[in-house]
Every structure is written in structure tokens, then in C-alpha cells.
Amino acid sequence: MITTGGYNKYIQHAGSHHLGLDVHDVWGSSTLKAGMVISIEPRIHIVEDSTELAAEYRGFGIRIEDNLLATEDRSVVLSKEIPKESDEVVKF
């Protein structure tokens, strides 16, 4: 959706990183292994001086983050109970 909508230029953050003893531990390998925990965090940021969008859409960013545990055969979403839909977030 981000790519086909032409919003790639507003992505200013990596989409994922390893989580460990230090929040942003360095990956020792490019292979995801059982027991590793990673973030999946798409983010979009519209700068205030953007002239491509209407004024009401400028000067904000949003990031939706999930944390996943890799197991031998699947991933487990550790943050599945955190509100992510706009109506849920407003209630929170």
C-alpha cells in the first residue's frame, strides 16, 4: 500500500530491528533463528514543509510497532494486545 500509493518518500525509519538485552542489539547474522525477538514497525512521517499534500496532512508521523518472537516453525506476536486500529487508539 505504501509503495503503490507513492508514499515511499515519507518512510524515514527502518522497518524492523532486533530486540535483545540492549533494546537495539546488533544482529549477529542475517538469519532469523528460534528465540530471537524482532520489531516490525512501519512508520510514515510527513514533514511540515511538504508541498505535495494538503496542509492538514503535514507535520506528523505515525509508527505502528509489533514485537515478534521467532520459534522453530512460526512467529508469535508478543504485542498482539496493544491497540493499533485508530478507534482503539483514541479510546486508549
Side-chain angles (χ1 to χ4, degrees), residues 14-79:
S16 178
H17 60 78
H18 180 74
L19 296 173
L21 295 176
D22 187 4
V23 176
H24 293 92
D25 276 356
V26 176
W27 293 51
S29 166
S30 60
T31 305
L32 190 60
K33 297 177 183 163
M36 290 182 161
V37 179
I38 62 169
S39 72
I40 303 293
E41 51 183 271
R43 176 180 187 244
I44 190 166
H45 181 249
I46 313 295
V47 295
E48 277 191 58
D49 60 356
S50 174
T51 58
E52 299 171 353
L53 298 171
E56 62 264 26
Y57 300 118
R58 300 179 198 163
F60 82 96
I62 187 167
R63 178 175 69 181
I64 302 169
E65 181 170 339
D66 271 314
N67 297 319
L68 282 74
L69 167 66
T71 68
E72 289 294 333
D73 60 350
R74 64 186 186 100
S75 62
V76 177
V77 180
L78 301 174
S79 52

